[in-house]
């Protein structure tokens, strides 16, 4: 009976030691992680915006080129 109690006490002690030694982040580390994630998201959004502006400018160039060709075709047809 005494060995069972000592065994349980030893197991309890070992469990407590491993449970209390968890690596928990401090508030400062949590805030730093949040800022890093926000910075990454801002960079991603900036890249997406850059790509969208580039695509839009190419679409405008294509539309202007097409409009110019249409006008030239109309002028050539009227003469």
């Amino acid at each position: 009976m005494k060995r069972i109690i000592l065994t349980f006490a030893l197991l309890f002690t070992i469990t407590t030691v491993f449970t209390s030694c968890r690596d928990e982040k401090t508030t400062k580390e949590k805030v730093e992680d949040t800022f890093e994630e926000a910075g990454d998201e801002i960079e991603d959004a900036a890249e997406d915006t850059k790509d969208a502006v580039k695509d839009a400018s190419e679409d405008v160039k294509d539309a202007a080129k097409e409009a110019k060709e249409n006008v030239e075709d109309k002028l050539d047809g009227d003469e």
Side-chain angles (χ1 to χ4, degrees):
M1 182 81 172
K2 195 174 188 183
R3 284 188 176 187
I4 293 175
I5 294 173
L6 290 176
T7 303
F8 282 123
L10 179 64
L11 288 174
F12 176 75
T13 303
I14 291 172
T15 306
T16 305
V17 168
F18 286 116
T19 304
S20 65
C21 292
R22 286 189 206 161
D23 185 28
E24 294 185 19
K25 291 184 178 182
T26 64
T27 303
K28 181 181 176 183
E29 291 172 335
K30 289 178 185 177
V31 170
E32 288 174 354
D33 289 345
T34 302
F35 279 122
E36 286 178 18
E37 290 174 10
D40 291 342
E41 290 178 16
I42 289 170
E43 288 176 5
D44 291 343
E47 288 179 18
D48 291 343
T49 302
K50 179 180 129 183
D51 292 341
V53 168
K54 184 177 178 182
D55 291 344
S57 71
E58 289 174 4
D59 290 343
V60 169
K61 285 180 187 177
D62 291 343
K65 190 176 194 180
E66 186 176 322
K68 178 183 173 188
E69 291 172 359
N70 287 340
V71 169
E72 289 175 348
D73 289 345
K74 295 266 183 187
L75 290 175
D76 289 341
D78 289 339
E79 294 181 356

